Amino acid sequence: MSDASADSASLAPEASFGDFFALLKPRVMTLVVFTALVGLLAAPNPVHPMIAFASILFIAIGGGASGALNMWWDADIDAVMKRTRKRPIPAGKVTEGEALGFGLALSGLSTVMLGLASNWVAGSLLGFTIFFYVVIYTMWLKRWTPQNIVIGGAAGAFPPMIGWAVATGGVSIESVLMFCLTFTWTPPHFWALALFMRKDYDHAGVPMLTVTHGRRSTRIHIFVYTILLAILALGAGVTSIGGPVYMAISIVLNMMFVKGAWDILNRDEEMSEVDNFKVERYFFKLSLLYLFLHFGAILIESVTQHFGMGGW
Amino acid sequence: MSISKQHEIHTRRYGRNVGVGLLLAGFIVIIFGLTVVKVTRGDYEPPLGEASE
């Protein structure tokens, strides 16, 4: 072996700081931070700003840690899918062992620190969320059942509940309804994506509903979950986290969302192919706005309540 | 090739070390801030033996 080859071999894969940061799925982390913050602020008990800041940070780190563990386990399918091919492990920037160690260390750190900073109900909920996302969803159900999206949605729905637990030290109907909002929103959101991004999942061998039960069945599923979501979203509006602003926003958004799901239900594959899945793409974009505005409305209600306005 | 020449990997390592250093410093600041808040709010109660000393 020449000097040159030894040099290049020893220098080949070394991750930068940014590669480790990418393991935390920063985009998912922003959703986690936003919904956890809304859950924390919507709670009736005030929280000291320092404790609130630290708690949100540890929830974000916990969410990121579960993302790193998900990338460690799913490195084989990430390498096949176009959308995930450039992630740090399939791109050869971070080794699987490094991702596993990084994810486990951050999981332990975030759970213990959240428990110490706020309370152990919040800490336990965060620990359970990481366990649920990594073990129940990623390792067990994702490659086994076409309902994977529904189960994965539960993991993504926990942050507002954790934020609420940071403030109150418990669980209540309001925090369960915030959980339900994200939980029932996830299936129509991802199945709409699966309708126009089908090839990626097919190649990876992940059992998506579009493949296992057919595209017609997926359209029906989207509609049913959207109706369920509308009921839960409007139901949340009559609890202490709701108010006139929330209700007004929710009614408009749910009318648009149900209309979108109805349009998807009444289309077949030929119609979708003709306009390159225009309705499905619109529904997907609307779903992003839908969740953001619902949690935004809860935030508005909670902030205005501090000034003697908002709420019922 | 000069032995002091900076290889791309050294820049990457330097960036990573600086990042880890800043994170650790930030972590210390957070722990300190939390401790101050918890002690001044009265969350922490020393054991009876310590309190009477």
Side-chain angles (χ1 to χ4, degrees), chain A residues 11 14-17 48 50-51 53-54 57-58 109 113 116-117, chain B residues 7 9 12-13 16 19-20 23 27 30-31 33-34 37-38 41:
Chain A
L11 294 179
E14 191 152 345
S16 69
F17 187 78
H48 190 285
M50 183 65 210
I51 292 180
F53 168 76
L57 180 71
F58 294 129
L109 177 97
M113 284 310 301
L116 289 171
Chain B
H7 192 280
I9 204 162
R12 220 183 315 164
R13 268 184 204 160
R16 204 172 59 188
V20 171
L23 281 185
F27 188 62
I30 287 167
I31 299 290
L34 280 175
V37 169
K38 288 201 173 259
R41 277 195 336 173

Side-chain angles (χ1 to χ4, degrees), chain A residues 77-121:
Chain A
I77 54 175
D78 281 353
V80 182
M81 298 208 298
K82 207 164 80 182
R83 187 172 64 86
T84 53
R85 206 174 283 162
K86 287 181 183 163
R87 283 180 175 176
I89 301 176
K93 291 173 180 168
V94 177
T95 66
E96 290 187 17
E98 282 172 335
L100 174 64
F102 186 61
L104 285 177
L106 288 187
S107 299
L109 177 97
S110 58
T111 306
V112 172
M113 284 310 301
L114 181 64
L116 289 171
S118 58
N119 57 71
W120 289 104
V121 174

